[in-house]
Amino acid sequence: MKRGLLTSVCVLSGLILSGCGGGGGGELTGAGGAPTITTTPTNVSTTISSIPSQQLASFGDGASAERFVSSDGLLYTGIFDDPLLKSVIENEAYTVSGTPTSGSANGVNYQTISATQTSDAAQLDIYVNGIFLANNETVSIALIKSSSYGYALVSVGTQLTSISASAVSYNGNASVIEVASNGAVASENGQFTLSINLANANPVGTLSTSGMRTFQFASGNVALDKSTGNLTSPAGVSIGRINGTQQTANLFGSLYGTDASGVAGVIRSTGNTPATYIGTFYGKR
């Protein structure tokens, strides 16, 4: 993915982004404000004591995949054009301008936040689409746009504190975007399913999409790190046209919600011939 390619995420009709003419993003919260924990999950096999800030991957164009808990307690996992933008989000180094715009459509909650970066007074726009889990917790996909530090495409939501010992299936919304070498952009939205047995010592699940006519992504080896809730696909994700060329891609994802009831992730192809592919998914069990 070349620097600036994340701008093409605007065409994902599943991401209703006000910066591209639709709804938007930001830190998704319920009517009562920030997510709160009101119950303790049962049948717990693993307790997550802490989630470290870590770089998951780096790319030749200067972008990197990052995972961290921000100063306001939200868990982020995804791709940043510039490490300075990651620092802005991780440390909440911005001031919100005005009142965020929010709404919902087809079961998806969206919000737009306009802000000013503390470091250089540059414009920062955050767009998010997501859903609510139990206890007003959240899981979502966000596009972050900085006028000085480029873009980020991330999954974000309530950080997990425990993983129940059970076999589960997560379902929700998925999107694929194709950026051809000549700059032409195509996209499609559908659904995804992630099936994984969380009771196993080293869980490995299967990820697939449905409801799409043109594009897809799939993996038979989605690996969960039970000490942190991080999701990867060591052998890669297959992404591309259903009746055409498939690219190998990296998966950067996580379980979300205090009891791991949500999941979300970002997928980026490792090659760009004949096109570059980006995928997103978010949902719950």
Side-chain angles (χ1 to χ4, degrees), residues 162-251:
S162 63
I163 300 175
S164 300
S166 59
V168 298
S169 272
Y170 295 90
N171 300 278
N173 299 316
S175 295
V176 176
I177 180 172
E178 175 191 71
V179 183
S181 56
N182 64 2
V185 176
S187 67
E188 191 173 20
N189 305 299
Q191 296 78 46
F192 82 93
T193 297
L194 170 63
S195 299
I196 188 167
N197 190 344
L198 302 178
N200 291 340
N202 298 293
V204 176
T206 59
L207 173 68
S208 62
T209 54
S210 60
M212 298 189 194
R213 294 177 178 270
T214 305
F215 301 110
Q216 67 87 44
F217 56 76
S219 173
N221 70 325
V222 176
L224 171 66
D225 180 346
K226 292 184 74 172
S227 67
T228 63
N230 191 45
L231 290 169
T232 59
S233 184
V237 176
S238 173
I239 188 171
R241 289 182 172 261
I242 294 173
N243 296 316
T245 302
Q246 299 289 305
Q247 292 272 13
T248 299
N250 293 312
L251 165 64

Side-chain angles (χ1 to χ4, degrees), residues 29-121:
T29 59
T36 56
I37 303 171
T38 59
T39 61
T40 301
T42 59
N43 191 30
V44 172
S45 62
T46 303
T47 298
I48 310 298
S49 57
S50 65
I51 297 177
S53 177
Q54 60 185 136
Q55 184 177 100
L56 304 174
S58 60
F59 307 99
D61 58 7
S64 62
E66 307 283 348
R67 189 170 191 256
F68 57 85
V69 176
S70 62
S71 60
D72 57 349
L74 294 174
L75 173 59
Y76 287 79
T77 307
I79 302 170
F80 290 80
D81 272 349
D82 193 306
L84 292 175
L85 180 54
K86 181 253 186 181
S87 179
V88 167
I89 300 303
E90 184 173 17
N91 298 301
E92 205 177 1
Y94 55 87
T95 301
V96 175
S97 307
T99 302
T101 301
S102 60
S104 61
N106 301 319
V108 175
N109 299 282
Y110 58 84
Q111 192 174 58
T112 303
I113 286 181
S114 294
T116 302
Q117 293 173 179
T118 304
S119 59
D120 58 2

Side-chain angles (χ1 to χ4, degrees), residues 3-19:
R3 184 176 294 245
L5 183 63
L6 289 180
T7 61
S8 300
V9 174
C10 286
V11 305
L12 282 170
S13 57
L15 295 174
I16 311 171
L17 305 178
S18 65

